[in-house]
Amino acid sequence: MGITQPLASLEEWDDEIKERYKPGKAQEDFRNYGDGVHPRVREFYRLNHTNQTYDFAMQKRAEYLPLKRTEMGIWEAMEFLNTLVDDSDPDTDLSQIEHNLQTAESIRADGHPRWMQLTGLIHDLGKVMWIWGEPQWAVVGDTFPVGCAWSDKIVFPQFFDDNPDKNRPEFQTECGIYERNGGLDKVNLSWGHDEYLYHVTKDYMPEPAQYMIRYHSFYPAHREGAYDHLMNDHDREMFAWVRQFNPYDLYSKGLAKPDPVALRP
C-alpha cells in the first residue's frame, strides 16, 4: 500500500466518521478524539492535513472543473465506482452501489421528495477520482476552508503544523482571504469528492440538494458549528438540509442490504 493510500479502502474513512458521531457519544469523547483511532486512519488525516493547501485546491479545481474528464450515466458511474470495494476492509461488506442505494432507500422510506432520494443515490459518485489516480486524502476526508485559519474543531488539528500554508500569514487569520459573513459560495474548501460532484450536478439539482452534495463532508461546520463567521444567513438556512441529510449518509449502513437488480430501473 503506497504512502498516499494508507486506508484499506475509502469506506474506512466513512466508518470512522460513523463511530465519531455515534448517537449518544459524549462531546468530551470527541475532544479526546484520536486515542482509539486505527493507525491507518490517523496516517490518512496526517497526509490530508499536510497536503491540502490552498494552492493544491486551486490546482485541482483547474484540472477537474472544466468537466472534460469523461461522460457516463448514473448507473454506469456507480458500477465504475464499485471497483473500489476492497476485501481487506473488515468493517464493511457493502459495495458502493449498495451503500448509495441504502442511503436513497432510507430517504424514500421516510417519505422525502424524489430529488432528495436522488441526492442520496449519487452523493458519493465523486469518489471516482480515486480510480483516476488521486490519493485517498484528495478524495475523502472532512473538508475545511483553505485560505484562512484552521479551526480547532477539525479532527487532528495538530497535523496542520506541517502544512505549508502555515507559513503564509495571509492565510492565518480567522477570515483569511475571505470576507466575514460573505457566504460559503465565495469560500474555497479543501479538494474532495464533494466539491467535484457538486460542479458536475449543480445545473440539474435543486439548491438544497446542491448544499447536501457540496457540504456533506464539511463536518467542522455542520456538526461542530465552526466557520459560522464565513457563512451568510442563506448558508445557515440551507445547512438545515445538510444536517437533515447527514444521518441517512452515516447510519443507513446498518440496515438490510438493498437489491441492486430489483431496484435498477
Side-chain angles (χ1 to χ4, degrees), residues 113-138:
R114 290 175 63 86
W115 64 260
M116 188 171 173
Q117 298 169 38
L118 176 60
T119 303
L121 185 67
I122 69 173
H123 73 283
D124 273 346
L125 293 186
K127 291 178 180 178
V128 297
M129 292 190 297
W130 190 30
I131 302 176
W132 294 334
E134 293 296 337
Q136 292 170 341
W137 54 262

Side-chain angles (χ1 to χ4, degrees), residues 115-116 118-119 122 201-210 213:
W115 64 260
M116 188 171 173
L118 176 60
T119 303
I122 69 173
T201 62
K202 65 179 182 178
D203 292 337
Y204 309 100
M205 302 293 285
E207 188 177 24
Q210 295 174 34
I213 290 170

Side-chain angles (χ1 to χ4, degrees), residues 156-171:
F156 291 118
Q158 69 270 25
F159 290 147
F160 287 114
D161 286 346
D162 293 325
N163 187 302
D165 284 353
K166 185 177 182 180
N167 299 316
R168 300 182 65 171
E170 68 272 27
F171 293 164

